[in-house]
Amino acid sequence: MPRRPYQPSPLKQIEKLSDEGSRVARWLADQEGIMVGFHRKLSALCVDRLQLAEHHLAFARQIQRRGKSGKTRQDKRQVISRAYYAMYHAVRALHLSLRGYDLDEHRKLAQSVTTDLAGHLKPKIAKKLHQVLERARHARNEADYSPYYPVPL
């Protein structure tokens, strides 16, 4: 029996919509009178993304509670990486909820906090969130890719 080709779920398809693709999908949904269903799927994707953020944060905390996070290089790296991804997915959910499309590029997501989301957040909060996300992204890049991070151990 031949294998069926991979068919992404509707949520996966919504997740991959660009800003322009989201606008077109909303227009089509509105034309067909199915906007409510589209908003439900968008909301479900936001919830799923927040749950993923919670899982990453819980794992980072679990590693810390083991009592080894200060003793081994790999544990420190994992805590940094998982904590960053918790922030990353939470901000993706925020972006999706407020702007109606998902943004998965790490650098652009951090920049979007002070541009795309500026009208939805207080300027001071947007600036601080951008700074924290950028610092965490740089720390995660070092933790995941540099053989010399963090220094000193």
Side-chain angles (χ1 to χ4, degrees):
M1 177 185 273
R3 285 181 95 176
R4 287 186 10 205
Y6 171 71
Q7 288 293 331
S9 72
L11 288 179
K12 186 67 175 174
Q13 292 171 343
I14 290 172
E15 177 188 37
K16 294 300 175 188
L17 286 177
S18 65
D19 182 23
E20 182 61 28
S22 178
R23 279 189 231 132
V24 170
R26 286 171 185 274
W27 180 84
L28 286 171
D30 196 37
Q31 299 304 309
E32 298 297 319
I34 55 173
M35 197 62 176
V36 171
F38 182 75
H39 281 296
R40 280 191 193 133
K41 296 286 188 194
L42 212 55
S43 294
L45 181 55
C46 289
V47 168
D48 291 347
R49 181 119 358 251
L50 285 173
Q51 287 175 342
L52 182 56
E54 288 173 354
H55 289 297
H56 282 296
L57 185 57
F59 187 65
R61 287 178 173 158
Q62 180 184 8
I63 294 169
Q64 277 190 312
R65 279 194 293 267
R66 286 195 313 213
K68 295 181 180 179
S69 64
K71 296 178 184 172
T72 70
R73 184 180 303 220
Q74 192 55 41
D75 282 345
K76 284 182 180 180
R77 290 172 181 268
Q78 285 300 312
V79 168
I80 290 166
S81 187
R82 294 308 99 201
Y84 165 74
Y85 276 108
M87 289 185 274
Y88 168 76
H89 287 292
V91 173
R92 278 182 77 180
L94 178 66
H95 192 278
L96 180 63
S97 175
L98 296 175
R99 298 293 293 176
Y101 66 97
D102 201 10
L103 188 59
D104 66 349
E105 293 180 49
H106 296 261
R107 185 174 286 140
K108 285 183 179 180
L109 184 66
Q111 291 169 346
S112 79
V113 173
T114 55
T115 56
D116 295 350
L117 304 181
H120 301 281
L121 303 171
K122 291 182 179 179
K124 210 173 191 179
I125 292 172
K127 182 179 179 183
K128 185 66 173 177
L129 181 57
H130 173 261
Q131 290 170 343
V132 168
L133 194 58
E134 273 295 296
R135 279 198 309 265
R137 184 176 67 82
H138 288 292
R140 195 270 314 172
N141 283 342
E142 286 295 311
D144 283 354
Y145 304 117
S146 175
Y148 309 110
Y149 186 82
V151 177
L153 287 176

